[in-house]
């Protein structure tokens, strides 16, 4: 009986780099990538708000904190709904 290299944990470097992490979270490569891009854009926006806030303290007083909290809660909800939540890392990017 033939076995798949990925099933035996003997996948190549490309397999490990591209697919191992998303699969461990129950995601496809594309869905993981889309989620990472969305979070990255949100974090860039929050970072820009911080720069503006540094110059004008009355602007964007809660933007970064609310963004980080929202992202954290989103990741925690994904973890809670996972097939094996104990295997999830404390953080995921």
């Amino acid at each position: 009986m033939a076995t798949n290299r990925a099933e035996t944990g003997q996948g190549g470097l490309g397999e490990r780099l591209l697919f191992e992490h998303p699969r461990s979270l129950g995601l496809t490569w594309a869905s993981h990538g889309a989620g990472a891009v969305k979070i990255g854009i949100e974090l860039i926006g929050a970072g820009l708000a911080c720069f503006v806030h540094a110059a004008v303290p009355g602007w964007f007083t809660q933007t970064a904190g609310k963004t980080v909290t929202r992202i954290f809660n989103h990741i925690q909800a994904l973890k809670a709904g996972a097939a094996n939540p104990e295997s999830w890392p404390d953080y995921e990017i």
Side-chain angles (χ1 to χ4, degrees):
M1 178 172 149
T3 59
N4 182 336
R5 288 175 52 128
E7 290 174 2
T8 62
Q10 297 176 356
L13 179 61
E15 173 75 21
R16 288 193 309 271
L17 289 175
L18 295 176
F19 302 111
E20 185 175 289
H21 173 65
R23 283 185 187 143
S24 74
L25 302 173
L27 301 170
T28 65
W29 175 85
S31 65
H32 179 273
V37 167
K38 180 181 182 292
I39 288 172
I41 289 169
E42 289 184 80
L43 290 172
I44 289 169
L48 292 173
C50 286
F51 284 119
V52 173
H53 176 72
V56 185
W59 289 352
F60 303 111
T61 60
Q62 299 179 14
T63 303
K66 285 185 175 184
T67 300
V68 171
T69 299
R70 185 176 60 252
I71 291 169
F72 176 80
N73 290 338
H74 169 72
I75 292 171
Q76 293 304 306
L78 289 175
K79 179 179 177 178
N84 191 5
E86 305 85 41
S87 69
W88 270 54
D90 290 334
Y91 60 91
E92 172 242 341
I93 297 178

